[in-house]
Amino acid sequence: MKFSSKTFDKFENIFFEGSKNIPYENLLFSLVSVSWKYSFLDIYRCIEMLFPISYLQIFHKELKIADSLLKFSADVEKYMGWKPKEKDAVNKLINESPEEARKLLREIKKLFDGTEEGNCGDFVYKIRNSIVHFRPATQSINIEDNNWDMLIRASLYIVEYWYKQYDEQLTLR
């Protein structure tokens, strides 16, 4: 497994200039992984942390809650049991992500589905499920190295963008 220079540069850029609240341990595990799919999965975990944040941000602001958005999100899940549907949350974040990320994802999606149409989040979620679930109905997806590299780079764009957007709101205070 070898990252392209573009992907490696994106890792480097995030390590040097990224938000202080990015789970850097996951990015480090991704960088040193021996398998593309587990490299992707560690970055996906960074995105996964943002799922409730993306839905609760406006609610948190309107209620003028003093606790951080991160703590509020944790409390909502803990006390109410609410969490967004993962597939919907992936789509929401990706649809509102930078064009660089969406362009890479559409390119990969076109190779697999024959079309760029449809939600890229559904496609990313399908890849994630093919890695983490071992059930007869969940097919394994074979992805070539250069496509894994593009998927990982797109995911890094998403992490970089959203953690910058939510930087101040992700502290636990």
Side-chain angles (χ1 to χ4, degrees):
M1 178 177 113
K2 184 176 180 188
F3 295 110
S4 69
S5 62
K6 288 180 182 178
T7 300
F8 189 75
D9 289 348
K10 181 50 61 184
F11 270 112
E12 187 176 72
N13 182 264
I14 291 172
F15 280 117
F16 287 125
E17 299 175 17
S19 162
K20 65 184 179 292
N21 294 305
I22 292 173
Y24 284 99
E25 181 177 90
N26 292 92
L27 293 186
L28 183 59
F29 287 149
S30 174
L31 187 60
V32 299
S33 181
V34 296
S35 168
W36 287 111
K37 63 184 179 181
Y38 294 116
S39 178
F40 164 73
L41 212 50
D42 271 310
I43 298 170
Y44 185 91
R45 291 186 72 205
C46 296
I47 297 169
E48 186 176 48
M49 174 140 160
L50 300 171
F51 290 171
I53 306 292
S54 67
Y55 280 93
L56 295 173
Q57 178 186 17
I58 294 170
F59 189 47
H60 178 264
K61 184 178 179 181
E62 289 296 316
L63 292 177
K64 297 177 175 76
I65 294 173
D67 285 335
S68 72
L69 180 55
L70 186 62
K71 184 173 182 330
F72 174 65
S73 296
D75 287 346
V76 166
E77 185 173 341
K78 180 179 177 182
Y79 296 113
M80 296 176 65
W82 180 87
K83 53 187 171 190
K85 293 180 181 174
E86 191 164 341
K87 187 176 184 181
D88 294 342
V90 169
N91 276 308
K92 182 177 183 348
L93 287 169
I94 289 175
N95 289 341
E96 298 172 17
S97 286
E99 178 58 27
E100 299 96 335
R102 293 191 321 254
K103 181 181 176 192
L104 288 168
L105 292 173
R106 284 191 305 268
E107 193 175 326
I108 301 164
K109 185 180 181 311
K110 186 175 183 178
L111 292 170
F112 280 89
D113 295 344
T115 181
E116 293 180 5
E117 302 301 315
N119 286 319
C120 288
D122 290 348
F123 178 67
V124 170
Y125 187 63
K126 181 178 177 181
I127 293 170
R128 177 255 183 214
N129 285 344
S130 78
I131 298 168
V132 300
H133 296 299
F134 193 63
R135 298 188 289 240
T138 306
Q139 294 178 334
S140 179
I141 295 178
N142 294 319
I143 301 176
E144 293 180 16
D145 290 357
N146 62 322
N147 294 322
W148 275 117
D149 183 75
M150 286 192 312
L151 177 62
I152 287 167
R153 188 167 60 249
S155 300
L156 289 169
Y157 276 114
I158 293 166
V159 166
E160 178 182 48
Y161 176 78
W162 285 110
Y163 277 88
K164 185 176 184 180
Q165 295 300 308
Y166 294 129
D167 192 40
E168 295 305 314
Q169 300 157 319
L170 290 174
T171 55
L172 272 173
R173 70 177 147 115

